[in-house]
Amino acid sequence: TKGGGVGIFPYATVTAASSSRAGGLTFTAPLTGSFPIDAATVRPTPRGQDAQYPVLKRSTHGRALHVLAPNDGAFPAGGGLVRVVDGHGVVAMYRYALARVSE
């Protein structure tokens, strides 16, 4: 975890990776928005899609989320809505302005 503690993840296998080399997608919030401080996973919309992807990093001011998600078209690059699950399991919709492939 960010503070150096132990994190429990509901996955059969967890692979630790440096967020700067893990790939995935980076979501950028609109100018007036931000993502929750305890964002844990991200799910695509519409609701019928059950996939969920772990959040690897949240920017300091919450304007960006780096998520271990494939670039398979589930998240439109030009912006849209994303379901974010926080550390308490609460699901909320957030608007994003841009989704880009992380390096």
Side-chain angles (χ1 to χ4, degrees):
T1 63
K2 184 177 179 181
V6 174
I8 299 173
F9 302 93
Y11 299 98
T13 303
V14 176
T15 302
S18 166
S19 62
S20 64
R21 295 173 36 200
L25 299 174
T26 298
F27 294 92
T28 303
L31 289 176
T32 58
S34 65
F35 297 108
I37 194 165
D38 61 346
T41 60
V42 167
R43 296 178 182 171
T45 56
R47 276 200 167 283
Q49 299 183 23
D50 294 329
Q52 55 184 341
Y53 304 102
V55 173
L56 299 176
K57 183 179 178 182
R58 177 185 175 271
S59 67
T60 305
H61 299 292
R63 297 258 311 123
L65 284 182
H66 182 177
V67 178
L68 191 58
N71 184 23
D72 62 0
F75 302 101
L81 293 172
V82 65
R83 291 183 288 159
V84 177
V85 183
D86 70 15
H88 303 286
V90 176
V91 181
M93 298 287 278
Y94 287 86
R95 185 163 300 285
Y96 66 91
L98 177 69
R100 63 177 172 79
V101 176
S102 303
E103 296 180 14

